[in-house]
Amino acid sequence: MPSKMSGLMLAGIAAYGTCTLYTAFTAVGGGLAGLSTGRSVSNRGTSSSSQQSSRSEPSFGTSTAGVCVLGAAAAALGVAAGRRSAGRQGEVSRAANPRKFNEQLPCSSGPFSVTVGKAGPSSFSILIAGLEKAGLTSALDGDGPFTLFAPDDKAFEAAGLTAEAVLAHPDLVTILKMHVLPGAIVAKGFKNQTVETLGGPVTMRKGVKGVMMNKAVINKADVEIANGIMHILGGVILP
């Protein structure tokens, strides 16, 4: 993600560009003024130098004023564009989530919590316990990127799976691996397809209820994590 320093550099480049543009406008204006003065001299033939000066100076002054206005306008536009660019990059930086999956999942409250619809912040205590039991937490600490299809506690409850049932499930490792995808897939990439998760193929399809992973619907997409992307499920992906 672009840093504040990148924004300052862009603003500096914009300011430098506008200064150069102003100089160019001034040079062009001076040249035009010189041509105007030359035409004044040639048209007036034998007129005195004082008359030539008095007639040519207004033309040069008018050109200079116009150039100054154009230069100032160009500078203002360039600085404003630089500020807008820096502002947009600042917004991107603030939107980025600096936490990895194992740091994000415990956040059931606070600024990093994830709210799905009107249900309030999601909690992932069952998923966390399952990942720890399956020995998969270290994998989610890697550089990635990974895509995690994360069932919250309500999703496990909807599937009739208590914490005890999840931890005692004979296929716990395979089931949890089916929620992890190598690489980052965002909502724009959702389509009818089969994705190869760490636990095997899972069918992604668009339906009336939304995007489904096998029979689990994605309730909230594109939660940005430092080493990937997370999508909150309303169910559990089962073989």
Side-chain angles (χ1 to χ4, degrees):
M1 293 292 176
S3 63
K4 292 183 180 179
M5 183 61 71
S6 301
L8 291 174
M9 291 176 64
L10 287 173
I13 292 171
Y16 174 79
T18 55
C19 288
T20 305
L21 184 62
Y22 172 78
T23 302
F25 271 125
T26 304
V28 172
L32 291 174
L35 291 175
S36 175
T37 303
R39 285 195 300 269
S40 175
V41 171
S42 61
N43 290 339
R44 284 159 182 74
T46 58
S47 298
S48 66
S49 60
S50 60
Q51 288 175 330
Q52 291 172 5
S53 176
S54 63
R55 291 174 182 175
S56 62
E57 282 179 2
S59 174
F60 178 79
T62 303
S63 299
T64 303
V67 170
C68 287
V69 171
L70 288 172
L77 288 172
V79 171
R83 287 176 179 171
R84 285 195 300 271
S85 176
R88 285 194 298 269
Q89 295 191 24
E91 290 171 3
V92 171
S93 298
R94 287 192 298 272
N97 191 336
R99 299 187 169 211
K100 292 186 176 182
F101 290 108
N102 293 325
E103 298 169 317
Q104 170 65 36
L105 290 175
C107 298
S108 57
S109 62
F112 291 100
S113 62
V114 181
T115 299
V116 180
K118 298 179 180 179
S122 292
S123 59
F124 300 92
S125 60
I126 299 177
L127 178 60
I128 293 170
L131 290 170
E132 291 175 348
K133 173 109 183 249
L136 296 175
T137 53
S138 59
L140 293 180
D141 271 334
D143 293 334
F146 306 104
T147 300
L148 177 63
F149 298 97
D152 59 15
D153 290 343
K154 292 184 178 65
F156 280 103
E157 293 169 4
L161 295 171
T162 64
E164 292 75 14
V166 170
L167 296 179
H169 202 290
D171 295 324
L172 175 63
V173 175
T174 300
I175 290 174
L176 292 180
K177 282 185 175 181
M178 292 179 72
H179 292 76
V180 183
L181 180 72
I185 178 171
V186 297
K188 289 192 295 185
F190 291 170
K191 60 183 179 180
N192 295 332
Q193 61 182 318
T194 298
V195 296
E196 195 65 36
T197 69
L198 296 182
V202 172
T203 300
M204 174 186 286
R205 59 185 176 83
K206 292 184 175 182
V208 176
K209 295 181 179 179
V211 180
M212 309 286 290
M213 300 297 294
N214 284 357
K215 294 182 179 180
V217 66
I218 298 177
N219 282 339
K220 185 178 182 64
D222 292 353
V223 179
E224 293 187 29
I225 310 297
N227 57 340
I229 198 84
M230 183 167 72
H231 309 297
I232 313 304
L233 296 182
V236 180
I237 302 173
L238 297 172

Short mmCIF file of all heavy atoms in Angstrom, two decimals, residues 190-232:
data_model
loop_
_atom_site.label_atom_id
_atom_site.label_comp_id
_atom_site.label_asym_id
_atom_site.label_seq_id
_atom_site.Cartn_x
_atom_site.Cartn_y
_atom_site.Cartn_z
N PHE A 190 -15.54 -13.71 -8.32
CA PHE A 190 -16.54 -14.73 -8.04
C PHE A 190 -17.31 -15.09 -9.31
O PHE A 190 -17.82 -14.20 -10.01
CB PHE A 190 -17.54 -14.26 -6.97
CG PHE A 190 -16.96 -14.12 -5.59
CD1 PHE A 190 -17.68 -13.51 -4.58
CD2 PHE A 190 -15.70 -14.61 -5.29
CE1 PHE A 190 -17.16 -13.38 -3.30
CE2 PHE A 190 -15.16 -14.50 -4.02
CZ PHE A 190 -15.91 -13.87 -3.02
N LYS A 191 -17.40 -16.37 -9.61
CA LYS A 191 -18.15 -16.84 -10.76
C LYS A 191 -18.41 -18.34 -10.58
O LYS A 191 -17.91 -18.96 -9.64
CB LYS A 191 -17.38 -16.58 -12.06
CG LYS A 191 -16.02 -17.27 -12.10
CD LYS A 191 -15.27 -16.90 -13.38
CE LYS A 191 -13.89 -17.57 -13.41
NZ LYS A 191 -13.14 -17.22 -14.64
N ASN A 192 -19.19 -18.89 -11.46
CA ASN A 192 -19.44 -20.32 -11.40
C ASN A 192 -18.17 -21.05 -11.81
O ASN A 192 -17.75 -21.00 -12.97
CB ASN A 192 -20.60 -20.69 -12.34
CG ASN A 192 -21.92 -20.08 -11.90
OD1 ASN A 192 -22.13 -19.83 -10.72
ND2 ASN A 192 -22.82 -19.84 -12.85
N GLN A 193 -17.56 -21.70 -10.83
CA GLN A 193 -16.27 -22.35 -11.08
C GLN A 193 -15.98 -23.34 -9.96
O GLN A 193 -16.65 -23.37 -8.93
CB GLN A 193 -15.15 -21.31 -11.15
CG GLN A 193 -14.99 -20.52 -9.85
CD GLN A 193 -13.92 -19.46 -9.93
OE1 GLN A 193 -12.85 -19.69 -10.48
NE2 GLN A 193 -14.19 -18.28 -9.38
N THR A 194 -14.95 -24.13 -10.17
CA THR A 194 -14.44 -25.02 -9.13
C THR A 194 -13.08 -24.49 -8.70
O THR A 194 -12.19 -24.29 -9.54
CB THR A 194 -14.30 -26.46 -9.65
OG1 THR A 194 -15.58 -26.95 -10.02
CG2 THR A 194 -13.72 -27.37 -8.56
N VAL A 195 -12.93 -24.21 -7.41
CA VAL A 195 -11.66 -23.71 -6.90
C VAL A 195 -10.96 -24.82 -6.14
O VAL A 195 -11.60 -25.66 -5.49
CB VAL A 195 -11.88 -22.48 -5.98
CG1 VAL A 195 -12.46 -21.33 -6.77
CG2 VAL A 195 -12.77 -22.81 -4.81
N GLU A 196 -9.66 -24.85 -6.24
CA GLU A 196 -8.86 -25.89 -5.60
C GLU A 196 -8.34 -25.38 -4.26
O GLU A 196 -7.36 -24.65 -4.19
CB GLU A 196 -7.70 -26.31 -6.51
CG GLU A 196 -7.04 -27.61 -6.11
CD GLU A 196 -7.97 -28.82 -6.23
OE1 GLU A 196 -8.79 -28.84 -7.17
OE2 GLU A 196 -7.87 -29.73 -5.39
N THR A 197 -9.00 -25.75 -3.19
CA THR A 197 -8.58 -25.35 -1.85
C THR A 197 -7.49 -26.30 -1.35
O THR A 197 -7.16 -27.29 -2.02
CB THR A 197 -9.77 -25.39 -0.88
OG1 THR A 197 -10.17 -26.76 -0.68
CG2 THR A 197 -10.95 -24.60 -1.42
N LEU A 198 -6.95 -26.01 -0.17
CA LEU A 198 -5.94 -26.90 0.41
C LEU A 198 -6.52 -28.26 0.75
O LEU A 198 -5.78 -29.25 0.88
CB LEU A 198 -5.36 -26.26 1.67
CG LEU A 198 -4.59 -24.94 1.49
CD1 LEU A 198 -4.04 -24.47 2.83
CD2 LEU A 198 -3.47 -25.09 0.47
N GLY A 199 -7.86 -28.34 0.92
CA GLY A 199 -8.50 -29.61 1.26
C GLY A 199 -9.15 -30.30 0.09
O GLY A 199 -9.76 -31.35 0.25
N GLY A 200 -9.03 -29.71 -1.11
CA GLY A 200 -9.64 -30.32 -2.28
C GLY A 200 -10.54 -29.35 -3.02
O GLY A 200 -10.68 -28.18 -2.63
N PRO A 201 -11.18 -29.81 -4.08
CA PRO A 201 -12.03 -28.93 -4.91
C PRO A 201 -13.32 -28.53 -4.18
O PRO A 201 -13.94 -29.33 -3.49
CB PRO A 201 -12.33 -29.78 -6.14
CG PRO A 201 -12.18 -31.19 -5.68
CD PRO A 201 -11.13 -31.18 -4.62
N VAL A 202 -13.70 -27.26 -4.36
CA VAL A 202 -14.94 -26.73 -3.82
C VAL A 202 -15.65 -26.00 -4.96
O VAL A 202 -15.03 -25.26 -5.73
CB VAL A 202 -14.70 -25.76 -2.63
CG1 VAL A 202 -15.98 -25.08 -2.20
CG2 VAL A 202 -14.08 -26.52 -1.45
N THR A 203 -16.96 -26.20 -5.04
CA THR A 203 -17.75 -25.57 -6.11
C THR A 203 -18.21 -24.19 -5.67
O THR A 203 -18.87 -24.04 -4.64
CB THR A 203 -18.97 -26.43 -6.46
OG1 THR A 203 -18.53 -27.71 -6.91
CG2 THR A 203 -19.79 -25.77 -7.56
N MET A 204 -17.88 -23.20 -6.46
CA MET A 204 -18.38 -21.84 -6.25
C MET A 204 -19.43 -21.57 -7.32
O MET A 204 -19.18 -21.78 -8.51
CB MET A 204 -17.24 -20.81 -6.37
CG MET A 204 -17.72 -19.36 -6.29
SD MET A 204 -16.39 -18.16 -6.61
CE MET A 204 -15.47 -18.27 -5.08
N ARG A 205 -20.59 -21.10 -6.88
CA ARG A 205 -21.64 -20.80 -7.86
C ARG A 205 -22.49 -19.63 -7.36
O ARG A 205 -22.65 -19.43 -6.15
CB ARG A 205 -22.52 -22.01 -8.13
CG ARG A 205 -23.23 -22.56 -6.92
CD ARG A 205 -24.00 -23.85 -7.24
NE ARG A 205 -24.60 -24.43 -6.05
CZ ARG A 205 -25.76 -24.06 -5.54
NH1 ARG A 205 -26.45 -23.09 -6.13
NH2 ARG A 205 -26.24 -24.63 -4.46
N LYS A 206 -22.99 -18.90 -8.32
CA LYS A 206 -23.86 -17.78 -8.00
C LYS A 206 -25.31 -18.25 -8.05
O LYS A 206 -25.74 -18.86 -9.03
CB LYS A 206 -23.65 -16.63 -9.00
CG LYS A 206 -22.30 -15.96 -8.87
CD LYS A 206 -22.19 -14.77 -9.81
CE LYS A 206 -20.90 -14.02 -9.60
NZ LYS A 206 -20.79 -12.83 -10.48
N GLY A 207 -26.06 -17.94 -6.99
CA GLY A 207 -27.45 -18.34 -6.93
C GLY A 207 -28.34 -17.24 -6.41
O GLY A 207 -27.91 -16.09 -6.24
N VAL A 208 -29.58 -17.59 -6.13
CA VAL A 208 -30.54 -16.61 -5.64
C VAL A 208 -30.12 -16.06 -4.28
O VAL A 208 -30.29 -14.87 -3.97
CB VAL A 208 -31.95 -17.25 -5.54
CG1 VAL A 208 -32.94 -16.27 -4.94
CG2 VAL A 208 -32.41 -17.73 -6.92
N LYS A 209 -29.53 -16.91 -3.44
CA LYS A 209 -29.13 -16.49 -2.10
C LYS A 209 -27.80 -15.73 -2.10
O LYS A 209 -27.42 -15.14 -1.09
CB LYS A 209 -29.00 -17.72 -1.19
CG LYS A 209 -30.32 -18.44 -0.94
CD LYS A 209 -30.11 -19.62 0.00
CE LYS A 209 -31.41 -20.35 0.27
NZ LYS A 209 -31.22 -21.53 1.17
N GLY A 210 -27.10 -15.77 -3.20
CA GLY A 210 -25.79 -15.13 -3.28
C GLY A 210 -24.75 -16.11 -3.80
O GLY A 210 -25.09 -17.10 -4.46
N VAL A 211 -23.49 -15.87 -3.49
CA VAL A 211 -22.42 -16.76 -3.93
C VAL A 211 -22.26 -17.88 -2.90
O VAL A 211 -22.11 -17.62 -1.71
CB VAL A 211 -21.09 -15.98 -4.09
CG1 VAL A 211 -19.98 -16.92 -4.53
CG2 VAL A 211 -21.26 -14.86 -5.11
N MET A 212 -22.29 -19.11 -3.40
CA MET A 212 -22.24 -20.28 -2.53
C MET A 212 -20.90 -20.99 -2.70
O MET A 212 -20.35 -21.08 -3.80
CB MET A 212 -23.37 -21.25 -2.88
CG MET A 212 -24.75 -20.64 -2.94
SD MET A 212 -25.44 -20.25 -1.34
CE MET A 212 -25.73 -21.89 -0.69
N MET A 213 -20.37 -21.47 -1.57
CA MET A 213 -19.20 -22.36 -1.58
C MET A 213 -19.73 -23.73 -1.15
O MET A 213 -20.01 -23.95 0.03
CB MET A 213 -18.13 -21.85 -0.62
CG MET A 213 -17.61 -20.47 -0.95
SD MET A 213 -16.77 -20.42 -2.57
CE MET A 213 -15.35 -21.46 -2.25
N ASN A 214 -19.87 -24.65 -2.11
CA ASN A 214 -20.68 -25.85 -1.91
C ASN A 214 -22.07 -25.39 -1.46
O ASN A 214 -22.78 -24.78 -2.22
CB ASN A 214 -20.02 -26.82 -0.94
CG ASN A 214 -18.86 -27.58 -1.61
OD1 ASN A 214 -18.60 -27.41 -2.81
ND2 ASN A 214 -18.17 -28.42 -0.86
N LYS A 215 -22.43 -25.59 -0.19
CA LYS A 215 -23.76 -25.16 0.26
C LYS A 215 -23.69 -24.01 1.27
O LYS A 215 -24.70 -23.66 1.88
CB LYS A 215 -24.49 -26.34 0.88
CG LYS A 215 -24.82 -27.44 -0.12
CD LYS A 215 -25.60 -28.57 0.54
CE LYS A 215 -25.95 -29.66 -0.47
NZ LYS A 215 -26.73 -30.77 0.15
N ALA A 216 -22.52 -23.43 1.44
CA ALA A 216 -22.34 -22.33 2.39
C ALA A 216 -22.32 -21.00 1.64
O ALA A 216 -21.54 -20.82 0.70
CB ALA A 216 -21.05 -22.51 3.18
N VAL A 217 -23.19 -20.07 2.04
CA VAL A 217 -23.29 -18.79 1.35
C VAL A 217 -22.25 -17.81 1.91
O VAL A 217 -21.93 -17.84 3.11
CB VAL A 217 -24.71 -18.20 1.50
CG1 VAL A 217 -25.02 -17.85 2.94
CG2 VAL A 217 -24.89 -16.99 0.59
N ILE A 218 -21.72 -16.97 1.06
CA ILE A 218 -20.81 -15.90 1.49
C ILE A 218 -21.65 -14.72 1.94
O ILE A 218 -22.31 -14.07 1.13
CB ILE A 218 -19.85 -15.50 0.35
CG1 ILE A 218 -18.98 -16.69 -0.05
CG2 ILE A 218 -18.98 -14.32 0.78
CD1 ILE A 218 -18.05 -16.41 -1.22
N ASN A 219 -21.60 -14.42 3.23
CA ASN A 219 -22.39 -13.32 3.79
C ASN A 219 -21.69 -11.97 3.66
O ASN A 219 -22.34 -10.93 3.55
CB ASN A 219 -22.70 -13.58 5.26
CG ASN A 219 -23.83 -14.57 5.44
OD1 ASN A 219 -24.64 -14.78 4.53
ND2 ASN A 219 -23.90 -15.21 6.60
N LYS A 220 -20.37 -11.97 3.70
CA LYS A 220 -19.61 -10.72 3.58
C LYS A 220 -18.30 -11.03 2.88
O LYS A 220 -17.55 -11.90 3.33
CB LYS A 220 -19.34 -10.09 4.95
CG LYS A 220 -18.67 -8.71 4.86
CD LYS A 220 -18.47 -8.12 6.25
CE LYS A 220 -17.85 -6.73 6.20
NZ LYS A 220 -18.73 -5.75 5.54
N ALA A 221 -18.04 -10.30 1.81
CA ALA A 221 -16.83 -10.54 1.02
C ALA A 221 -15.80 -9.43 1.23
O ALA A 221 -16.10 -8.36 1.74
CB ALA A 221 -17.18 -10.62 -0.46
N ASP A 222 -14.58 -9.75 0.85
CA ASP A 222 -13.49 -8.77 0.75
C ASP A 222 -13.14 -8.08 2.07
O ASP A 222 -13.11 -6.85 2.15
CB ASP A 222 -13.82 -7.72 -0.31
CG ASP A 222 -13.83 -8.28 -1.72
OD1 ASP A 222 -13.44 -9.46 -1.88
OD2 ASP A 222 -14.23 -7.57 -2.66
N VAL A 223 -12.88 -8.85 3.09
CA VAL A 223 -12.31 -8.31 4.32
C VAL A 223 -10.79 -8.37 4.14
O VAL A 223 -10.22 -9.45 4.09
CB VAL A 223 -12.74 -9.11 5.56
CG1 VAL A 223 -12.11 -8.53 6.83
CG2 VAL A 223 -14.26 -9.13 5.68
N GLU A 224 -10.15 -7.20 4.02
CA GLU A 224 -8.72 -7.17 3.70
C GLU A 224 -7.88 -7.54 4.92
O GLU A 224 -8.07 -7.02 6.01
CB GLU A 224 -8.32 -5.78 3.21
CG GLU A 224 -8.93 -5.42 1.87
CD GLU A 224 -8.38 -4.11 1.32
OE1 GLU A 224 -7.22 -3.77 1.65
OE2 GLU A 224 -9.10 -3.43 0.60
N ILE A 225 -6.95 -8.46 4.72
CA ILE A 225 -6.02 -8.91 5.74
C ILE A 225 -4.61 -8.66 5.22
O ILE A 225 -4.39 -8.60 4.01
CB ILE A 225 -6.23 -10.41 6.05
CG1 ILE A 225 -7.71 -10.71 6.32
CG2 ILE A 225 -5.40 -10.85 7.25
CD1 ILE A 225 -8.29 -10.02 7.53
N ALA A 226 -3.65 -8.53 6.13
CA ALA A 226 -2.29 -8.20 5.72
C ALA A 226 -1.70 -9.23 4.77
O ALA A 226 -0.93 -8.89 3.87
CB ALA A 226 -1.39 -8.06 6.96
N ASN A 227 -2.05 -10.50 4.95
CA ASN A 227 -1.47 -11.54 4.08
C ASN A 227 -2.55 -12.26 3.25
O ASN A 227 -2.42 -13.44 2.93
CB ASN A 227 -0.67 -12.55 4.89
CG ASN A 227 -1.48 -13.22 5.99
OD1 ASN A 227 -2.52 -12.70 6.40
ND2 ASN A 227 -1.01 -14.35 6.49
N GLY A 228 -3.62 -11.54 2.91
CA GLY A 228 -4.62 -12.15 2.05
C GLY A 228 -5.97 -11.46 2.12
O GLY A 228 -6.06 -10.26 2.37
N ILE A 229 -7.00 -12.24 1.91
CA ILE A 229 -8.37 -11.73 1.89
C ILE A 229 -9.26 -12.73 2.61
O ILE A 229 -9.01 -13.93 2.58
CB ILE A 229 -8.85 -11.51 0.42
CG1 ILE A 229 -10.05 -10.59 0.36
CG2 ILE A 229 -9.13 -12.82 -0.27
CD1 ILE A 229 -9.67 -9.12 0.37
N MET A 230 -10.30 -12.23 3.28
CA MET A 230 -11.20 -13.11 4.02
C MET A 230 -12.64 -12.84 3.61
O MET A 230 -13.04 -11.69 3.42
CB MET A 230 -11.02 -12.88 5.52
CG MET A 230 -11.86 -13.79 6.41
SD MET A 230 -11.34 -13.75 8.16
CE MET A 230 -11.93 -12.12 8.65
N HIS A 231 -13.40 -13.92 3.46
CA HIS A 231 -14.82 -13.83 3.15
C HIS A 231 -15.57 -14.56 4.26
O HIS A 231 -15.21 -15.69 4.63
CB HIS A 231 -15.14 -14.47 1.80
CG HIS A 231 -14.27 -13.98 0.68
ND1 HIS A 231 -14.26 -12.67 0.25
CD2 HIS A 231 -13.35 -14.62 -0.10
CE1 HIS A 231 -13.41 -12.53 -0.76
NE2 HIS A 231 -12.83 -13.70 -0.97
N ILE A 232 -16.59 -13.93 4.81
CA ILE A 232 -17.33 -14.50 5.95
C ILE A 232 -18.46 -15.37 5.44
O ILE A 232 -19.30 -14.92 4.64
CB ILE A 232 -17.89 -13.40 6.87
CG1 ILE A 232 -16.81 -12.35 7.17
CG2 ILE A 232 -18.41 -14.01 8.16
CD1 ILE A 232 -15.56 -12.90 7.77
#
